[in-house]
Amino acid sequence: QTVVTQEPSFSVSPGGTVTLTCGLSSGSVSTSHYPSWYQQTPGQAPRTLIYSTNTRSSGVPDRFSGSILGNKAALTITGAQADDESDYYCVLYMGSGIWVFGGGTKLTVL
Amino acid sequence: QVQLVESGGGVVQPGGSLRLSCAASGFTFSSYDMHWVRQAPGKGLEWVAFIRYDGSNKYYVDSVKGRFTISRDNSKSTLLLQMNSLRVEDTAVYYCANVYGYYFEYWGQGTLVTVSS
């Protein structure tokens, strides 16, 4: 049973930089997992931020960036703003038509 | 613009059935693979099922295999999820999303399924 791991919570100061990660319970995340990232505020549908590791979705500010850091996928927010306070989810393609979401990270901006 | 509108949610007893629909517009539905994703109250997102653009291949998370069936009607630009033998743990908001490459491009607003006696 593959588990995708994310930090349950994170805190960043306004204007600060934060990096959220997305790992595997066993093994390393690579570009072949096509990691993507989604932002969700309470009561709303998810919004696509990053796909294929590091491509920003249309309309997403360039303060959001994606990468592979070590053995994990990463989402970096540079110059955090108050409205970045949300839940963030990564999802990995595991092959054979199977996708697995991480448990999500609750980001607080204060 | 792209619109995905889910419907069919509601309250059902354990062991019951529901059929969810996702009406698509603003893009060529028949050219896109599609997903169902769910989110239990206060919990994270969970991928549920995937179907190829032509319905030729279908994949499911282990917890719904044998109980849920994903299908599509390309003539009506509609994605379906037939849910049988429902369990309390299937209670969630169910979202449909289209696939672009390997990611979830656009999402509907979701429909709530509550399994309770």
Side-chain angles (χ1 to χ4, degrees):
Chain A
Q1 179 83 2
T2 300
V3 176
V4 176
T5 61
Q6 294 185 248
E7 300 85 0
S9 63
F10 230 118
S11 183
V12 63
S13 300
T17 296
V18 62
T19 297
L20 312 182
T21 67
C22 176
L24 284 170
S25 55
S26 177
S28 299
V29 176
S30 73
T31 56
S32 298
H33 290 101
Y34 302 95
S36 53
W37 292 88
Y38 304 85
Q39 178 190 49
Q40 188 183 36
T41 52
Q44 298 296 314
R47 168 198 179 198
T48 306
L49 293 176
I50 301 286
Y51 62 93
S52 294
T53 306
N54 56 13
T55 303
R56 270 186 300 277
S57 187
S58 177
V60 173
D62 60 7
R63 67 177 185 275
F64 292 91
S65 62
S67 63
I68 298 290
L69 286 181
N71 62 351
K72 296 182 180 181
L75 172 71
T76 299
I77 307 173
T78 304
Q81 300 181 1
D83 61 2
D84 295 335
E85 187 161 295
S86 302
D87 295 326
Y88 291 85
Y89 294 93
C90 70
V91 63
L92 303 178
Y93 178 61
M94 305 309 295
S96 302
I98 303 298
W99 278 260
V100 181
F101 279 91
T105 297
K106 184 177 182 62
L107 180 67
T108 302
V109 180
L110 51 74
Chain B
Q1 73 278 21
V2 172
Q3 271 202 309
L4 296 168
V5 180
E6 302 92 339
S7 61
V11 180
V12 62
Q13 291 188 336
S17 298
L18 272 180
R19 189 172 87 153
L20 305 185
S21 297
C22 168
S25 60
F27 66 107
T28 306
F29 178 76
S30 59
S31 298
Y32 284 83
D33 303 338
M34 296 292 294
H35 291 287
W36 285 101
V37 176
R38 67 184 178 183
Q39 186 169 34
K43 301 297 185 182
L45 299 171
E46 180 183 35
W47 173 78
V48 174
F50 165 86
I51 185 168
R52 289 280 285 159
Y53 68 97
D54 59 356
S56 59
N57 294 92
K58 305 172 185 181
Y59 301 92
Y60 303 90
V61 67
D62 283 348
S63 59
V64 309
K65 282 181 183 175
R67 301 188 299 123
F68 289 12
T69 302
I70 188 172
S71 62
R72 63 193 299 158
D73 185 341
N74 285 343
S75 68
K76 296 181 180 178
S77 296
T78 300
L79 177 71
L80 302 166
L81 186 67
Q82 178 66 43
M83 304 187 296
N84 298 331
S85 302
L86 282 162
R87 305 168 179 168
V88 171
E89 55 265 35
D90 296 319
T91 294
V93 174
Y94 285 74
Y95 297 99
C96 62
N98 74 303
V99 180
Y100 186 78
Y102 290 86
Y103 79 104
F104 304 69
E105 186 183 24
Y106 292 104
W107 299 68
Q109 284 302 304
T111 186
L112 176 61
V113 172
T114 302
V115 185
S116 173
S117 55

